[in-house]
Amino acid sequence: MDEIREGSTEVSCDVLVIGGGTAGPMAAYRAKRRNPNMRVILLEKANVKRSGAIAMGMDGLNNAVIPGYATPEQYTKEITIANDGICDQAPVYKYASRCFEMIQELDRFGIKFQKTENGDFDVKKVHHLGSYVLPMPNGDTVKKALYRQLRREKVLISNRYMATRLLTGRNGQVAGAIAVNTRDAEFLVIRAKTVILCAGAAGRLGLPQSGYLWGTYENAANSGDGYAMAYHAGAGLANLECYQINPLIKDYNGPACAYVAGPFGGYTTNNDGNRFIECDYWSGQMIQEFYNELQSGKGPVFLKLDHLHSDTIGEIEAVLHNVERPSRGRFHQNRGTDYRERMIEMHISEIGFCSGHSASGVFVDEFARTTVTGLYAAGDMASVPHNYMLGAFTNGAVAGEHAAGFAEEIDLPDYDIGEVEREKTRVLAPTKRDDGVPPNQIEYKTRRLVNDYLQPPKVTAKMNLGRMRLAEVRDDLENRMVARDAHELMRSLEAASIIDCADMAATASLFRTESRWGFYHHRVDFPEKNNDEWFCHSILRKQDGRMTVEKRPVADYIVPIEESERSAYDRQRIRKSA
Amino acid sequence: MPIAHMPTTVPVVVDEAKCIADKGCTVCVDVCPLDVLRISDLTGKAYMKYDECWYCMPCETDCPTGAVTVNIPYLLR
């Protein structure tokens, strides 16, 4: 295993789904359900059984809109306000209207949702305004349940293939993808009528404070390949300057987590043991207050559980130490941290792109369509803000159904064989060198520069310098990087995705000359929000081989927001009473 | 320019007495999201070949004999 073999196979399909984490399996499943005669390929860099953000399951739904508890109008309003108004509401409203049907579907798959003694859904309040959090008692089984459905519907699964570039047809429409096997470097050229990108967050963009490249918040396999592929195919990417930064267990770099501990009575405090934020829901404004507290001398910041009853803490442990990031328990055990006796030290994460928690994603409409014909995106990498796991499932379903319908209407697009040959040359270049810089050093330097120059507080002169330094690393990546086996080749391709994302982060951040989304886009030399000039999306794309950014108006709201409601998320800091 | 090896203590350890990779089992290698585990040509047992670990635990959870243990990587322990 791992020796480089040169070879290439061509296959074709109706719907190609890239990424087998959360949105991807649901997209493939729904495409096949819509039309069982369809050839649907699900491509995954790892193994669909245990890939993506929910490799070990999930503790619950963070954004369930359940009749009787919340309405699509309420939810759309909350997310619009949480995202500082920069929100095309149609995809959010579509999600909010369809997510209950998805909950019922997941229930049929065997995933349980917590009920009260009366048999009602046990919905908890964590957001600033409404109630949307619903625990999943057997949330560790989500991936298994999905995998069973994929097998039943005869979705064609190709594990250990990394897509590297999308193929485009004569009129710029998507025509498939090129992928490389991560264990022998053989190519797979997949012609497709439609492609759905579900490749997850750009989670290996910033460097964690531990210095360990793989100690990221996101699944470290999520290196932003989807963002890079969409960019090179000419798709627009929205609001990339609205980074993802999360409050996490310091060093462990996983969630603690407000959605689990909050409903039991846990909360975030400073070193005095006092609350300083009104609401633990993850928003840019909340992270700004978190950062301010860390810098204020009242830090560090902690998650406080030690005031709770031992049995209650036992319930919290049963969740935190069994699903999503189960090694949390081991981490605390090593340090002798018992939640009953000691508060948990928290910190803010490295930066990333992820619409699951913020808004930085490939621009999509309410049908999950990108700006490239035939190309769809869903999950953490698509621009529907704050959409979490249930958003990935629901929008994955939307994408799968629409893509299957579109594929029924069109012929397989032609592609340019020259494009394939050029891509093979690019991919294999690091394997043709006997000497040079290994991908781990290229990646470390890129991500260290991201921390030094691109993470907030954002300073114009620093970001410009960062771009110069990144250009030097790119020159090394393109001309001096060496990969000795297929595994290192995968890492070298990921390094290319990471530096593409770093360039996009810098370019988008420099474009928006105001501050917005709290800490996510805190520009020191433009400290105020400027609605007159910047109440708009930024759309970044590749035009004539160059990275460009332009403004795009926010679509007219479907759900009106009163002037008095707009600043609800701006008032995060607890005010001192007289 | 030669490429040097940098020693690291790896987070995933395999109890070779329990590991049944030599009988054809490849579960831990199959499920790892980062693809960092391999079967040794010398011992026939699974081991961590690349120190690129998200300490996520599918390898340990899915191992049919309980041979795999995921430790927290030293740098963030």
Side-chain angles (χ1 to χ4, degrees):
Chain A
M1 199 145 66
D2 305 324
E3 291 100 50
I4 291 164
R5 278 191 272 165
E6 301 220 357
S8 185
T9 311
E10 184 183 293
V11 295
S12 60
C13 63
D14 297 290
V15 179
L16 168 64
V17 182
I18 298 175
T22 312
M26 190 57 73
Y29 169 78
R30 284 297 181 92
K32 203 69 183 159
R33 291 285 287 185
R34 186 194 150 100
N35 183 345
N37 298 321
M38 239 168 216
R39 223 174 123 76
V40 178
I41 296 179
L42 177 58
L43 201 70
E44 166 57 48
K45 185 163 74 173
N47 186 314
V48 175
K49 282 183 183 168
R50 288 290 194 187
S51 56
I54 61 165
M56 291 300 285
M58 190 50 69
D59 46 72
L61 304 174
N62 291 342
N63 52 345
V65 184
I66 296 177
Y69 296 90
T71 64
E73 286 76 14
Q74 271 177 336
Y75 178 80
T76 303
K77 187 183 273 191
E78 174 120 25
I79 295 305
T80 305
I81 298 168
N83 204 45
D84 239 335
I86 309 298
C87 176
D88 280 7
Q89 289 186 335
V92 177
Y93 190 82
K94 174 90 157 264
Y95 157 76
S97 309
R98 290 197 49 176
C99 71
F100 185 58
E101 171 213 318
M102 180 53 65
I103 293 170
Q104 292 169 310
E105 174 97 304
L106 294 170
D107 187 70
R108 279 192 293 277
F109 290 180
I111 298 157
K112 295 189 185 76
F113 299 97
Q114 194 160 301
K115 302 261 176 71
T116 64
E117 285 169 4
N118 303 327
D120 299 324
F121 284 113
D122 193 7
V123 183
K124 317 278 189 190
K125 184 174 186 299
V126 175
H127 290 60
H128 206 41
L129 306 172
S131 301
Y132 313 102
V133 172
L134 179 59
M136 296 178 350
N138 66 343
D140 57 319
T141 63
V142 177
K143 286 293 276 188
K144 278 205 174 78
L146 278 176
Y147 195 73
R148 273 198 303 273
Q149 300 302 324
L150 293 173
R151 297 304 296 257
R152 183 172 299 167
E153 296 300 328
K154 300 190 172 56
V155 169
L156 303 165
I157 296 172
S158 290
N159 290 318
R160 304 292 173 195
Y161 275 96
M162 176 181 181
T164 65
R165 283 288 187 269
L166 298 171
L167 292 167
T168 43
R170 208 165 293 128
N171 302 317
Q173 82 272 34
V174 78
I178 305 168
V180 64
N181 188 292
T182 63
R183 287 174 174 173
D184 62 19
E186 285 204 52
F187 284 95
L188 185 62
V189 177
I190 308 144
R191 300 183 61 188
K193 292 178 180 175
T194 58
V195 176
I196 307 173
L197 282 172
C198 303
R204 251 159 66 204
L205 184 49
L207 185 65
Q209 298 225 335
S210 66
Y212 189 57
L213 285 173
W214 318 92
T216 46
Y217 165 69
E218 296 288 348
N219 186 323
N222 291 348
S223 44
D225 310 326
Y227 288 81
M229 280 188 278
Y231 169 72
H232 289 291
L237 295 103
N239 305 316
L240 297 179
E241 66 277 18
C242 179
Y243 297 161
Q244 162 178 256
I245 301 164
N246 292 330
L248 304 175
I249 300 167
K250 185 169 182 299
D251 299 336
Y252 181 82
N253 228 16
C257 156
Y259 307 108
V260 176
F264 285 105
Y267 56 88
T268 305
T269 77
N270 58 23
N271 192 41
D272 300 334
N274 294 324
R275 284 179 197 256
F276 61 96
I277 37 180
E278 292 275 357
C279 168
D280 283 347
Y281 177 72
W282 294 1
S283 63
Q285 297 85 344
M286 180 270 201
I287 295 290
Q288 180 71 58
E289 293 303 343
F290 199 117
Y291 173 80
N292 292 347
E293 202 71 2
L294 286 171
Q295 300 295 316
S296 72
K298 287 188 188 147
V301 171
F302 296 91
L303 179 70
K304 182 171 167 58
L305 301 176
D306 56 5
H307 58 295
L308 301 174
H309 190 278
S310 180
D311 293 350
T312 307
I313 289 175
E315 285 185 66
I316 295 171
E317 283 173 338
V319 179
L320 293 183
H321 301 175
N322 284 299
V323 281
E324 192 185 6
R325 302 303 314 275
S327 57
R328 280 181 283 222
R330 217 156 275 188
F331 173 79
H332 292 309
Q333 199 180 14
N334 282 334
R335 293 189 173 186
T337 307
D338 184 330
Y339 302 157
R340 288 162 187 82
E341 286 153 17
R342 225 192 283 175
M343 299 196 294
I344 303 158
E345 187 185 356
M346 304 291 287
H347 205 75
I348 55 173
S349 71
E350 67 284 357
I351 70 161
F353 296 151
C354 174
S355 284
H357 308 97
S358 65
S360 39
V362 176
F363 184 85
V364 292
D365 66 8
E366 67 270 35
F367 300 105
R369 290 181 295 197
T370 71
T371 57
V372 169
T373 305
L375 181 63
Y376 297 74
D380 278 347
M381 63 164 290
S383 66
V384 187
H386 298 227
N387 79 153
Y388 290 91
M389 178 182 72
L390 189 58
F393 281 137
T394 308
N395 297 327
V398 168
E401 287 164 11
H402 200 280
F406 186 62
E408 284 168 0
E409 294 168 13
I410 60 168
D411 297 322
L412 199 61
D414 287 326
Y415 70 96
D416 174 8
I417 189 75
E419 203 179 351
V420 173
E421 292 310 316
R422 281 191 297 279
E423 178 58 2
K424 286 181 179 173
T425 304
R426 180 189 78 93
V427 166
L428 291 176
T431 70
K432 304 295 183 192
R433 300 184 187 111
D434 298 324
D435 197 4
V437 188
N440 61 316
Q441 283 191 304
I442 296 279
E443 177 174 342
Y444 182 90
K445 193 164 179 179
T446 303
R447 293 172 62 188
R448 195 266 298 170
L449 291 171
V450 166
N451 281 21
D452 285 355
Y453 293 104
L454 304 186
Q455 72 182 1
K458 300 179 189 178
V459 179
T460 304
K462 279 175 71 178
M463 290 192 285
N464 281 324
L465 269 177
R467 282 216 290 203
M468 286 167 58
R469 295 286 91 78
L470 285 166
E472 292 157 12
V473 180
R474 181 179 287 280
D475 184 54
D476 290 334
L477 184 148
E478 288 174 356
N479 298 303
R480 278 169 286 282
M481 183 163 63
V482 60
R484 297 167 299 180
D485 62 24
H487 184 84
E488 286 187 2
L489 180 61
M490 166 172 65
R491 296 290 178 241
S492 72
L493 291 162
E494 291 173 341
S497 297
I498 293 165
I499 202 163
D500 281 347
C501 289
D503 281 341
M504 289 192 265
T507 304
S509 292
L510 283 162
F511 179 68
R512 186 180 285 275
T513 50
E514 64 154 359
S515 287
R516 192 174 287 272
W517 302 296
F519 195 55
Y520 298 160
H521 185 63
H522 173 43
R523 279 195 75 168
V524 178
D525 23 14
F526 299 95
E528 302 299 324
K529 195 189 299 185
N530 178 354
N531 278 331
D532 292 340
E533 286 180 57
W534 289 104
F535 192 81
C536 61
H537 301 287
S538 75
I539 303 289
L540 180 147
R541 74 178 90 221
K542 188 177 180 180
Q543 280 175 317
D544 305 320
R546 285 184 47 247
M547 195 175 281
T548 63
V549 200
E550 61 199 22
K551 293 180 179 180
R552 179 187 172 111
V554 174
D556 289 343
Y557 286 164
I558 306 167
V559 181
I561 314 281
E562 300 297 327
E563 197 59 46
S564 60
E565 295 171 316
R566 293 188 182 195
S567 58
Y569 270 75
D570 292 343
R571 298 188 294 267
Q572 294 287 331
R573 180 159 285 270
I574 289 188
R575 271 163 290 182
K576 289 199 182 84
S577 51
Chain B
M1 251 191 314
I3 294 173
H5 285 274
M6 192 163 71
T8 65
T9 170
V10 295
V12 175
V13 291
V14 177
D15 182 340
E16 294 196 351
K18 290 183 184 169
C19 176
I20 53 168
D22 51 348
K23 308 260 191 320
C25 179
T26 58
V27 168
C28 60
V29 178
D30 293 343
V31 296
C32 174
L34 277 304
D35 204 15
V36 297
L37 304 176
R38 292 291 180 267
I39 311 296
S40 165
D41 290 335
L42 286 175
T43 62
K45 305 292 183 179
Y47 74 107
M48 187 172 214
K49 183 175 177 185
Y50 305 96
D51 178 15
E52 301 165 341
C53 182
W54 193 49
Y55 39 105
C56 56
M57 304 205 0
C59 54
E60 178 177 320
T61 306
D62 295 350
C63 172
T65 63
V68 182
T69 303
V70 177
N71 296 303
I72 304 296
Y74 178 73
L75 290 183
L76 46 104
R77 198 174 292 168

